[in-house]
Amino acid sequence: MKIGIVLTDPVDWTAERFIRGLKLAGVEPITIRLERAVSSISEITCEGLSLFDLDGLLVRDLGGGGLESSVFRFDILLELERTGIPVINPPSAIQLAANKHLSYWRLRRSNLPFPKTCVTSDISEAIVFVERVGTAVAKPIFGYKGLGIELITMERLDRIGEVIRERGVIYLQEFIPHNGRDIRAFVVGGEVVGAIYRLAPEDGWISNLSQGGTPERCSLTGAQKDLAIRAAGALGTLYAGVDLIESNDETFVLEVNGTPSGYGVFAACRVDVTRMIINLLMKRVRG
Ligand SMILES: Nc1ncnc2c1ncn2[C@@H]1O[C@H](COP(=O)(O)OP(=O)(O)O)[C@@H](O)[C@H]1O
Ligand SMILES: [Mg+2]
């Protein structure tokens, strides 16, 4: 059986666990580095292997890079799926989750509580929004790992013009006053299998583990579990890391990650989500 795993960093905790877990399931996984893929005439190959020969594909991460190369890698996954190869997460879900503007509308349409958000290329419209919410968070539409996120305060409205000149568009969201932490809920196959608080570093407000956040065990309320499950489903993910943020008595959905790291929930709760994700894939491969 030929199971591929798309990754860029083979020593990443989640990638290592995927590789180890597949071996335990009796499969020798094939590492796929999509930055080396070739799409030509009637073939898609990667380091000599025809990707159409795969029986299944796990996507750990697709890597960064420019817009064209990201679209190219997504499109390869879509083509593989189109030929009937099970790809997890489904490429359309990965694509949707990676796009903060598009996923905002999907989550809103599912009536999920989402912070007030405004996306525009118009400087004065952006200023009106910040004046309305007081303090906003600006995020790259295709951002991840808390990179490129900044606070836009009433004192620094000049940043709006700078961001729009740099990117052509600004994604702004009301700042949700929180007590230095957010929640990462892990959903696999329509169930919450674990959740962690991510504590932001002292004096910080960004709690991604890759930005110095610390994972801590978290027990979700039934309503929070329901939110996480609905958010993961709204984007069509089969498994997801759903970011939630609490303020007073309210919980908001911040985003859904279609290629999340399993490290935090393992470190804090000893729950190994990679096993569960492999089971999902293998059921589909054998299915
Ligand atoms: N509206 C917000 N209010 C307060 N904190 C936020 C807000 N949006 C994001 N953050 C903080 O920044 C982190 C990263 O934001 P997120 O939207 O999840 O983007 P990324 O894809 O980079 O993880 C969150 O985990 C949270 O700690
Ligand atoms: Mg996040």
Side-chain angles (χ1 to χ4, degrees):
M1 189 180 298
K2 285 188 179 161
I3 303 293
I5 164 164
V6 176
L7 51 77
T8 54
D9 177 9
V11 297
D12 152 68
W13 185 90
T14 313
E16 263 184 0
R17 286 283 169 148
F18 275 144
I19 293 168
R20 199 195 299 178
L22 282 165
K23 285 182 179 166
L24 282 173
V27 175
E28 190 56 45
I30 304 163
T31 298
I32 312 277
R33 313 289 298 241
L34 282 186
E35 66 271 29
R36 298 184 193 144
V38 184
S39 178
S40 170
I41 309 176
S42 58
E43 263 299 358
I44 298 178
T45 56
C46 199
E47 301 185 279
L49 171 81
S50 167
L51 297 189
F52 292 125
D53 287 344
L54 289 172
D55 297 301
L57 192 59
L58 260 185
V59 184
R60 166 60 192 109
D61 79 295
L62 279 171
L67 184 63
E68 285 200 27
S69 64
S70 302
V71 170
F72 172 59
R73 293 191 297 261
F74 277 128
D75 289 346
I76 288 177
L77 298 183
L78 282 173
E79 282 308 316
L80 298 179
E81 191 186 46
R82 220 164 263 151
T83 65
I85 299 168
V87 182
I88 281 190
N89 263 317
S92 55
I94 298 176
Q95 214 165 7
L96 200 51
N99 181 331
K100 286 187 166 51
H101 175 233
L102 211 51
S103 53
Y104 158 67
W105 279 104
R106 288 296 171 96
L107 296 167
R108 288 230 38 197
R109 289 218 166 90
S110 299
N111 286 322
L112 289 154
F114 200 80
K116 290 189 190 78
T117 299
C118 169
V119 188
T120 182
S121 296
D122 186 290
I123 296 178
S124 38
E125 291 287 356
I127 291 174
V128 168
F129 177 78
V130 178
E131 283 170 347
R132 185 149 73 88
V133 297
T135 301
V137 180
K139 311 182 189 185
I141 290 181
F142 289 99
Y144 52 93
K145 291 188 174 174
L147 295 170
I149 291 190
E150 62 181 297
L151 274 188
I152 307 283
T153 57
M154 292 294 289
E155 293 71 44
R156 288 305 313 272
L157 290 176
D158 56 310
R159 275 299 291 150
I160 290 177
E162 288 169 12
V163 172
I164 290 178
R165 274 187 289 279
E166 267 165 40
R167 302 183 175 279
V169 62
I170 192 165
Y171 177 108
L172 289 165
Q173 189 166 74
E174 68 173 321
F175 177 75
I176 303 292
H178 55 83
N179 48 1
R181 66 182 192 198
D182 73 355
I183 295 172
R184 163 59 64 89
F186 224 103
V187 178
V188 183
E191 272 177 60
V192 174
V193 297
I196 50 169
Y197 289 116
R198 297 184 302 185
L199 315 186
E202 212 170 313
D203 300 329
W205 58 275
I206 299 176
S207 53
N208 299 65
L209 301 186
S210 49
Q211 300 292 325
T214 311
E216 201 171 79
R217 184 188 284 269
C218 164
S219 296
L220 297 182
T221 64
Q224 288 173 329
K225 281 186 188 165
D226 183 56
L227 274 189
I229 293 166
R230 282 170 52 213
L235 300 195
T237 55
L238 298 179
Y239 73 92
V242 181
D243 294 348
L244 305 172
I245 197 158
E246 296 167 304
S247 187
N248 304 320
D249 287 339
E250 244 183 310
T251 304
F252 296 94
V253 175
L254 271 188
E255 68 154 346
V256 176
N257 295 272
T259 53
S261 165
Y263 175 71
V265 76
F266 182 76
C269 317
R270 295 284 134 186
V271 172
D272 184 353
V273 295
T274 63
R275 292 286 180 86
M276 305 172 192
I277 297 163
I278 289 170
N279 286 342
L280 269 186
L281 176 72
M282 296 314 278
K283 260 192 219 149
R284 277 167 195 249
V285 169
R286 298 198 172 108

